[in-house]
C-alpha cells in the first residue's frame, strides 16, 4: 500500500510513534506539529487520510477539519485528550469520520486508518461489488466476514467457535442498537430464552477474552445493564 497519510499533532512523541507504525505498514506519511504547516500540505498534496489532533498551538483541529471538508472527502480521524461526548459529537458533526481518545494503542490507530481507507475505497470508488454487500463488517479494526467465516481484530485473526461467531455477527448487523439477551439467545441458539439463563453472558465473556477486552470498559461489546448488549457506531 502507498496511500498518503497526514499526521497533525503538536505532541511530538505521539506523532512520531504513529508515523513509525504507519510507515511499517507501507503508508507514505506527512507529519506536522502545527496547523499552519498542515494546511499548506493539505492544499498542495493529494492525500488519502488525515489524522488530526483537536488541540494544536495555532489552529484547532475542528477548524482544520472544516477547511478539509470544504474541498475534500477523504477520511479524517480526530485525536483528543478530552473525553466529553460534546467534543466527539462536534467532531463528527463537522465531518470527521472517526474519533480516538488519548491515550491509545498505536496498533488501534493503524487498524482504524485501514478501516477508514477500506470504507473510502468501497463506498466512494465503488470497489465493493453489489453481491458482496452485507457479507462483511469493518468496525474500528474489528473485521468479520460471513462468507469466509473469519474474524480479525487489528489484523489479528480471532479463533471463534460457530456460536461465538454467530453472536458477534448478530451484534455487528445491529451496530448502534441495544440487543436484549433474550433476542440474542433466541436468534443465535434457536431456543426459547429462560429468565435464569446465563448462556449469553458467558459467551460474551469468552468473546471479550479472545478480543483482549476489559470487562469493565470494553471498546466493542458494551453492556447496557438491565437491557442487553451493543456494539456502538
Amino acid at each position: 500500500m502507498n496511500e498518503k497519510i497526514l499526521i497533525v499533532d503538536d505532541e511530538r512523541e505521539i506523532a512520531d510513534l504513529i508515523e513509525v507504525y504507519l510507515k511499517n505498514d507501507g503508508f507514505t506519511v506527512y507529519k506536522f506539529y502545527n496547523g499552519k504547516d498542515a494546511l499548506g500540505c493539505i492544499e498542495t498534496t493529494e492525500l488519502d487520510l488525515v489524522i488530526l489532533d483537536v488541540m494544536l498551538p495555532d489552529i484547532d483541529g475542528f477548524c482544520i477539519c472544516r477547511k478539509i471538508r470544504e474541498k475534500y472527502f477523504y477520511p479524517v480521524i480526530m485525536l483528543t485528550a478530552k473525553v466529553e461526548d460534546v467534543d466527539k459529537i462536534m467532531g463528527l458533526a463537522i465531518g470527521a469520520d472517526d474519533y480516538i481518545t488519548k491515550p491509545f494503542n498505536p496498533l488501534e490507530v493503524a487498524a482504524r486508518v485501514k478501516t477508514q481507507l477500506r470504507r473510502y475505497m468501497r463506498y466512494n470508488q465503488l470497489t465493493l461489488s453489489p453481491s458482496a454487500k452485507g457479507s462483511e463488517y469493518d468496525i474500528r479494526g474489528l473485521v468479520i466476514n460471513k462468507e469466509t467465516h473469519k474474524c480479525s481484530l487489528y489484523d489479528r485473526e480471532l479463533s471463534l467457535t460457530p456460536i461465538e461467531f454467530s453472536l458477534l455477527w448478530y451484534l455487528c448487523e445491529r451496530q448502534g442498537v441495544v440487543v436484549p439477551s433474550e433476542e440474542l439467545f433466541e436468534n443465535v441458539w434457536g431456543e426459547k430464552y429462560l429468565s435464569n439463563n446465563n448462556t449469553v453472558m458467558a459467551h460474551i465473556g469468552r468473546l471479550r477474552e479472545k478480543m483482549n477486552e476489559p470487562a469493565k470498559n470494553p471498546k466493542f461489546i458494551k453492556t447496557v445493564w438491565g437491557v442487553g448488549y451493543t456494539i456502538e457506531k
Side-chain angles (χ1 to χ4, degrees):
M1 59 185 70
N2 58 0
E3 289 91 344
K4 297 176 182 178
I5 312 295
L6 171 62
I7 302 171
V8 192
D9 197 320
D10 64 323
E11 294 186 69
R12 293 173 179 260
E13 296 84 357
I14 291 177
D16 294 348
L17 182 61
I18 297 173
E19 179 187 28
V20 169
Y21 275 81
L22 293 182
K23 282 188 172 180
N24 285 342
D25 280 334
F27 294 108
T28 298
V29 176
Y30 300 84
K31 178 183 62 179
F32 297 97
Y33 304 120
N34 63 75
K36 181 180 178 181
D37 291 340
L39 283 173
C41 178
I42 289 165
E43 291 297 326
T44 59
T45 308
E46 187 175 338
L47 299 168
D48 294 292
L49 183 143
V50 174
I51 299 174
L52 179 60
D53 188 29
V54 170
M55 301 297 292
L56 295 169
D58 51 352
I59 308 170
D60 73 63
F62 295 133
C63 290
I64 296 175
C65 186
R66 289 190 188 97
K67 286 285 186 183
I68 291 172
R69 285 294 174 253
E70 289 175 4
K71 292 184 179 180
Y72 307 107
F73 299 99
Y74 49 69
V76 176
I77 299 176
M78 305 291 288
L79 301 178
T80 181
K82 296 182 178 181
V83 296
E84 289 86 351
D85 285 341
V86 65
D87 295 303
K88 180 176 180 179
I89 293 169
M90 180 183 295
L92 297 175
I94 63 175
D97 298 275
D98 202 355
Y99 214 94
I100 301 177
T101 304
K102 300 175 183 178
F104 48 73
N105 183 335
L107 286 173
E108 179 184 357
V109 176
R112 294 217 198 174
V113 165
K114 294 172 188 175
T115 295
Q116 291 301 328
L117 287 173
R118 282 192 289 260
R119 288 177 179 170
Y120 182 62
M121 292 293 291
R122 286 172 180 170
Y123 297 114
N124 294 295
Q125 298 179 17
L126 303 178
T127 59
L128 182 64
S129 65
S131 63
K133 288 181 180 178
S135 66
E136 181 178 285
Y137 290 94
D138 189 337
I139 303 171
R140 301 187 301 279
L142 173 65
V143 180
I144 183 168
N145 189 296
K146 192 173 185 179
E147 292 184 349
T148 62
H149 217 269
K150 289 185 177 180
C151 179
S152 65
L153 179 61
Y154 306 148
D155 292 328
R156 176 179 64 87
E157 187 167 344
L158 301 179
S159 179
L160 304 182
T161 67
I163 285 291
E164 290 166 350
F165 184 95
S166 298
L167 188 60
L168 186 57
W169 177 262
Y170 196 87
L171 289 171
C172 289
E173 274 192 311
R174 291 152 183 79
Q175 184 186 358
V177 175
V178 180
V179 183
S181 297
E182 298 94 313
E183 180 181 336
L184 277 169
F185 185 83
E186 291 178 2
N187 281 274
V188 173
W189 278 266
E191 301 174 11
K192 186 168 180 60
Y193 181 84
L194 301 175
S195 60
N196 62 346
N197 194 329
N198 293 321
T199 303
V200 172
M201 183 174 66
H203 277 78
I204 292 290
R206 281 197 286 273
L207 267 174
R208 285 174 174 159
E209 287 179 11
K210 291 185 177 182
M211 297 167 70
N212 290 322
E213 285 264 79
K216 290 186 177 180
N217 189 29
K219 287 181 177 289
F220 292 95
I221 304 175
K222 305 275 190 178
T223 301
V224 180
W225 295 109
V227 183
Y229 301 92
T230 185
I231 294 180
E232 296 177 343
K233 289 187 176 179

